[in-house]
Amino acid sequence: MNNLPIGIFDSGVGGLTVARAVRDQLPHESITYVGDTAHTPYGPKPIARVREYALSVLDDMVEQGVKMLVIACNTASAAMLRDAHERYDVPVLEVIQPAVRSAVSITKNGRVGLIGTVGTIKSRAYDDLFSIRDDITLFTRACPRFVEFVEEGVTAGPELHRVAIEYLTELKEANIDTLVLGCTHYPFLRGAISRVMGSGVRLVSSDIETANDVYRVLAEHGLMRGDSHPAEYRYKATGDNADTFLLLAERLLGSGVPSVDLITTGTRGIDIIQD
């Protein structure tokens, strides 16, 4: 059991930020990453459809063998986290609570902004967690085009800047001092977001905090992997276009991907193996 990989799931490439953070903190742990690029973006889709897509992928991951599931997708977490906890016998972590904890710990004026997909914002999953703190006011904004930019490999440029101004001006005028990036795609756009919000606003993403949770849960459950064998990393996607995925994977993970194998695991996928 201890030598099984950690399973990390996202609707596309955004969850690679979480995979990178887990890899940095736990270099001896193997990782299987699956991005459901055939169905991305999840944000505009009905919650029931997101639940169907996500549970289908997670079912496959558990069947193939993982010792933990990390749902590195805010929309999917909001749609089916309770189902996942009840459905699987392995620990299941998500990215929403770690981001909330971080934001609560760093805000000075109690005015916190949240940007996310339409699905995440409509779910009010963040609102419910922040609501237990009556000293914090939450301001939210759906930013659906941000995911499109990331999935197209666009992380800078005048069009992105224009859209960022459109999305973020209202939050800036609300005098927030902390902004939660409520989608694992959004760290790709830190530069554009920071340019609009200014240096006085702290950006919070869930990647490092989620990796901390992974470490803690593995330790508490006695699931840490030994270091006698090198870790293995497998990156999979359900779509049929590897180019953008590979480009962003290399950018995020800081190393090249030597081979790409097209496979079929319930849905047609891209299996990227890195030793």
Side-chain angles (χ1 to χ4, degrees), residues 9-272:
F9 163 71
D10 184 53
S11 61
V13 299
L16 289 170
T17 56
V18 176
R20 180 182 61 181
V22 171
R23 205 175 144 178
D24 288 346
Q25 288 202 34
L26 295 159
H28 299 305
E29 295 291 341
S30 294
I31 293 172
T32 294
Y33 178 94
V34 178
D36 190 14
T37 53
H39 301 118
T40 197
Y42 275 7
K45 292 180 171 62
I47 290 294
R49 184 63 56 83
V50 170
R51 178 183 179 276
E52 176 187 349
Y53 289 150
L55 289 176
S56 177
V57 174
L58 295 180
D59 284 350
D60 274 355
M61 296 178 78
V62 171
E63 182 178 347
Q64 292 172 17
V66 294
K67 63 182 177 181
M68 169 187 285
L69 288 170
V70 180
I71 306 172
C73 175
N74 288 262
T75 306
S77 294
M80 54 77 183
L81 180 60
R82 180 175 298 178
D83 299 279
H85 279 298
E86 295 175 352
R87 193 179 183 101
Y88 308 118
D89 293 329
V90 298
V92 180
L93 301 181
E94 45 80 32
V95 292
I96 295 177
Q97 293 191 58
V100 171
R101 286 199 307 266
S102 180
V104 167
S105 70
I106 67 175
T107 182
K108 301 299 183 184
N109 67 3
R111 300 176 71 82
V112 176
L114 165 70
I115 56 176
T117 67
V118 172
T120 295
I121 299 301
K122 283 187 174 180
S123 76
R124 298 185 62 83
Y126 279 91
D127 302 67
D128 292 342
L129 291 174
F130 276 112
S131 67
I132 64 175
R133 293 287 300 264
D134 55 15
D135 58 333
I136 291 180
T137 303
L138 183 66
F139 302 85
T140 65
R141 182 67 158 91
C143 304
R145 289 200 61 195
F146 278 176
V147 171
E148 296 174 12
F149 281 115
V150 172
E151 293 289 342
E152 293 167 3
V154 177
T155 58
E159 177 64 11
L160 173 59
H161 182 62
R162 184 190 66 76
V163 172
I165 291 173
E166 175 187 335
Y167 284 154
L168 303 175
T169 296
E170 185 176 326
L171 294 176
K172 186 174 182 179
E173 292 174 349
N175 193 34
I176 64 171
D177 72 347
T178 304
L179 179 63
V180 177
L181 308 184
C183 175
T184 49
H185 286 65
Y186 293 177
F188 281 93
L189 308 179
R190 274 183 173 272
I193 294 169
S194 293
R195 181 182 175 191
V196 174
M197 297 305 300
S199 59
V201 176
R202 296 277 298 275
L203 303 185
V204 173
S205 59
S206 55
D207 49 356
I208 295 175
E209 295 299 324
T210 301
N212 290 340
D213 277 5
V214 170
Y215 188 105
R216 174 182 57 80
V217 171
L218 288 180
E220 289 176 354
H221 287 76
L223 291 174
M224 288 287 191
R225 185 175 186 268
D227 60 359
S228 57
H229 299 286
E232 296 180 354
Y233 308 106
R234 297 174 66 89
Y235 303 93
K236 304 178 183 181
T238 59
D240 57 5
N241 184 349
D243 293 343
T244 298
F245 188 92
L246 291 174
L247 175 65
L248 295 177
E250 182 173 357
R251 181 182 302 166
L252 276 175
L253 301 176
S255 59
V257 176
S259 62
V260 179
D261 297 319
L262 298 181
I263 63 168
T264 300
T265 56
T267 56
R268 180 174 172 79
I270 304 160
D271 188 12
I272 304 164

